[in-house]
Amino acid sequence: MKMLTRILIAASALAMTTAMPALAKTFVYCSEASPEGFDPAPYTAGGTFDASAHPIYNRLVEFKKGTTEVEPALAESWEISADGLEYTFKLRQGVKWQSNDKFTPSRDFNADDVIFSYQRQASADHPWNQYIAGITYEYYNSMEMPSLIKDIVKVDDYTVKFVLTRPEAPFMANIAMPFASILSAEYADVLDKAGTKEDLNNAPIGTGPFKFVAYQKDAVIRYAKNADYWGTAPLIDDLVFAITPDAAVRLQKLKAGECQLMPYPAPADIAAIKEDTNLKMDEQAGLNVGYLAYNTTQAPFDNPKVRKALNMALNKQAIIDAVFQGAGQVAKNPIPPTMWSYNDAIVDDVYDPVAAKAALEAEGVKDLSMKIWAMPVQRPYMPNAKRAAELMQEDFAKVGVKVEIVSYEWGEYLDKSMEPGRDGAVILGWTGDNGDPDNFMGVLLSCASAQPGGANRAFWCNEEFSALLAKAKQTADVAERTKLYEDAQVIFKDQAPWATLDHSTQYVPMAKNVTGFVMSPLGDFTFDTVDLAE
């Protein structure tokens, strides 16, 4: 009788265990900044893409994890014409759109969504171009997409052909970037009819591994696993972004188990993190650059001799020592040394305050007052912009230049720094989006990117420089492209639209039980492969 009782109890316990669902896994990421929005197209900030493009959306092609190698995504294959002017994409079938309480899709992803996602950025006349007043498509414009893409042809529901005006060597890498995320044309139609077009940016619908659930501004973003995801399903059920701008507070939360992973630790904390047995940390050389961009359209910064003199006044090694504490190196070029075509023969401006002051006086510059803009948030290329600005302020004072340090809320900072009449010089930087030199020099420094809506914060337009970039993009010969980019860096150094500041090392601390996280050379934070070991 006792044996029978034990058997029944064991059977009952087994049945209960089998019937009980596995506990949901929640992964908390202590992110460094609030997203500007959830439509990736109008923005450029990495934190915005981490919160939008990567969890929620997909692109025609994407970068293989941990690399800059392009692989199929929403396009399962493609063909390129012999002259390099036509790219025909075969689209993946059966890809489901997500839904929310205002939208239930009636169809799968198809060619209409691809055409909608590109054309709204291309044409000022498109009804979805200015669905939020004043937005700009900075990437699309800076990469000269309006003049590059002649047409996008819907061959059939699952075939799309891009017709270009010229060959473009980095085209495939460019369209793997977050700005080229594919949004639902049907969802846009529903929002238009409801009179709530702004929800394209506030209540996103995508095809990605996670569904957007809710956003409490400047506090928390919640996502849930997309049960209908076409790719490999995420291993976690719920993803949370705990927005935590202060690096010390992020680390505190990580140590307390309130989040499992954080970006951008303070350089002063690196050694202690490495010694903490409850944590582990990945690291790699950053594909990035930090810079001080002069407004080259405003006197006296329109004079390259003045800009060179100011650059000579900056003790960049002191900035690296104080701000990065060993987690960075002085930059002399606008691209990082880990990138192909880096011109190591370039000689950096020598720190020489006496010569700098004499050079300013020779150009008639005396008693100059200027503003330096300092970012309010930590970025991969600049852990403490305010401290860096203070050091620059001290350096410039030694050559008779008075500096006022200004800052704004992050979104406002990015917007205002793009205004052509902006005064002074702005601290910013860049992490590569696709591993191609054009993504730095073309996006940040070309004449096209100096136009309204572009990413050229120096508003610098040098026709010889831009001609070299244009030629480099139109050849597939890597050796020829390398030589052209090397020559372009010589012009950049001579004209000095920026003071190149630093290239940083990237560190990602995480809880010891985190598995599956892959550092991106592009600085992305993605969580579709992460898990928490028991």
Side-chain angles (χ1 to χ4, degrees):
M1 186 66 182
K2 287 182 179 179
M3 179 63 71
L4 180 59
T5 302
R6 290 194 190 105
I7 292 171
L8 288 172
I9 291 172
S12 176
L14 178 62
M16 288 178 66
T17 302
T18 306
M20 287 177 64
L23 292 175
K25 285 187 179 180
T26 299
F27 190 96
V28 182
Y29 168 57
C30 277
S31 63
E32 82 288 1
S34 299
E36 301 152 276
F38 292 93
D39 173 1
Y43 306 115
T44 62
T48 296
F49 295 150
D50 291 338
S52 60
H54 301 308
I56 301 168
Y57 300 106
N58 293 112
R59 290 143 294 286
L60 289 175
V61 294
E62 296 178 0
F63 296 112
K64 185 177 180 180
K65 279 210 180 289
T67 78
T68 56
E69 177 187 341
V70 171
E71 65 178 5
L74 291 179
E76 59 185 9
S77 65
W78 55 88
E79 294 179 357
I80 306 171
S81 63
D83 60 6
L85 297 180
E86 293 186 355
Y87 288 68
T88 303
F89 295 91
K90 288 291 184 183
L91 305 182
R92 194 176 299 276
Q93 298 189 34
V95 175
K96 306 296 181 187
W97 286 105
Q98 299 161 6
S99 61
N100 59 26
D101 57 1
K102 298 179 182 177
F103 174 68
T104 300
S106 67
R107 61 166 177 80
D108 293 346
F109 154 78
N110 67 24
D112 294 332
D113 303 309
V114 177
I115 292 171
F116 164 76
S117 298
Y118 279 85
Q119 287 187 343
R120 71 191 182 100
Q121 299 183 64
S123 172
D125 297 328
H126 194 282
W128 279 91
N129 183 271
Q130 286 293 300
Y131 75 96
I132 299 172
I135 62 171
T136 59
Y137 297 93
E138 192 172 330
Y139 266 121
Y140 199 89
N141 293 323
S142 294
M143 300 174 78
E144 302 181 62
M145 289 289 185
S147 64
L148 173 66
I149 299 177
K150 180 179 180 180
D151 198 8
I152 305 177
V153 180
K154 178 181 176 180
V155 179
D156 57 46
D157 280 349
Y158 292 99
T159 310
V160 174
K161 179 167 67 177
F162 284 68
V163 182
L164 308 186
T165 60
R166 59 183 182 269
E168 183 85 352
F171 181 70
M172 291 297 293
N174 289 348
I175 65 170
M177 290 165 50
F179 83 95
S181 295
I182 305 302
L183 277 64
S184 166
E186 184 185 18
Y187 183 45
D189 289 341
V190 169
L191 295 178
D192 192 10
K193 290 174 184 175
T196 57
K197 294 177 80 168
E198 67 278 2
D199 278 349
L200 196 72
N201 200 34
N202 300 330
I205 291 289
T207 58
F210 295 97
K211 295 174 61 174
F212 173 84
V213 175
Y215 173 41
Q216 183 181 344
K217 186 172 172 55
D218 299 330
V220 64
I221 315 169
R222 299 185 184 279
Y223 310 85
K225 178 165 68 174
N226 179 9
D228 295 322
Y229 183 47
W230 58 270
T232 303
L235 299 171
I236 56 173
D237 300 287
D238 298 295
L239 174 64
V240 177
F241 279 36
I243 299 166
T244 315
D246 187 278
V249 178
R250 289 199 296 275
L251 181 56
Q252 200 173 48
K253 287 183 176 182
L254 180 64
K255 288 183 173 182
E258 296 175 28
C259 61
Q260 283 76 49
L261 188 144
M262 63 169 278
Y264 319 132
D269 292 330
I270 298 298
I273 293 170
K274 289 181 176 180
E275 293 174 1
D276 192 323
T277 56
N278 294 315
L279 303 178
K280 60 183 179 179
M281 184 161 59
D282 290 349
E283 65 179 88
Q284 66 182 13
L287 193 72
N288 59 40
V289 64
Y291 60 81
L292 179 72
Y294 304 105
N295 186 341
T296 62
T297 66
Q298 305 286 322
F301 310 110
D302 56 344
N303 182 345
K305 292 181 180 179
V306 170
R307 301 193 296 262
K308 291 285 281 186
L310 291 171
N311 287 357
M312 289 172 61
L314 292 177
N315 186 346
K316 296 194 289 187
Q317 188 59 54
I319 294 173
I320 294 295
D321 293 342
V323 177
F324 291 82
Q325 299 185 32
Q329 65 185 90
V330 167
K332 64 180 180 180
N333 291 329
I335 63 174
T338 51
M339 175 165 277
W340 63 273
S341 84
Y342 180 83
N343 191 342
D344 201 29
I346 296 287
V347 176
D348 201 9
D349 299 306
V350 177
Y351 171 55
D352 190 339
V354 175
K357 187 172 184 178
L360 288 172
E361 291 174 352
E363 295 305 311
V365 177
K366 295 182 179 180
D367 302 318
L368 174 63
S369 294
M370 64 180 287
K371 291 181 179 178
I372 289 182
W373 294 38
M375 296 175 296
V377 297
Q378 190 175 359
R379 302 305 305 142
Y381 45 77
M382 180 56 66
N384 189 335
K386 186 175 185 294
R387 180 63 183 135
E390 290 169 349
L391 292 169
M392 292 182 209
Q393 185 182 48
E394 294 171 10
D395 286 342
F396 283 150
K398 294 173 186 175
V399 299
V401 177
K402 184 178 180 181
V403 168
E404 176 190 356
I405 299 172
V406 299
S407 191
Y408 300 91
E409 178 273 328
W410 183 222
E412 188 178 8
Y413 186 96
L414 292 171
D415 289 342
K416 284 183 174 292
S417 65
M418 289 171 57
E419 295 174 358
R422 187 206 74 226
D423 52 3
V426 60
I427 298 175
L428 262 176
W430 196 256
T431 297
D433 295 291
N434 61 19
D436 195 281
D438 184 72
N439 181 245
F440 281 78
M441 289 187 275
V443 172
L444 302 177
L445 291 160
S446 68
C447 288
S449 67
Q451 302 305 310
N456 187 338
R457 258 55 175 208
F459 312 110
W460 178 65
C461 175
N462 181 286
E463 297 292 349
E464 184 183 2
F465 177 88
S466 290
L468 288 171
L469 301 188
K471 189 174 180 181
K473 289 199 298 181
Q474 292 183 43
T475 176
D477 187 315
V478 175
E480 184 179 352
R481 293 189 76 202
T482 296
K483 179 62 168 63
L484 291 165
Y485 287 129
E486 288 175 344
D487 291 346
Q489 288 166 73
V490 172
I491 296 172
F492 166 86
K493 201 64 185 179
D494 177 67
Q495 293 296 300
W498 300 347
T500 49
L501 300 176
D502 67 86
H503 307 295
S504 70
T505 303
Q506 295 301 288
Y507 297 93
V508 181
M510 65 193 82
K512 198 172 183 178
N513 68 331
V514 173
T515 63
F517 178 77
V518 180
M519 279 193 83
S520 166
L522 308 174
D524 304 325
F525 285 82
T526 60
F527 303 100
D528 51 303
T529 59
V530 300
D531 199 3
L532 297 171
E534 297 299 333

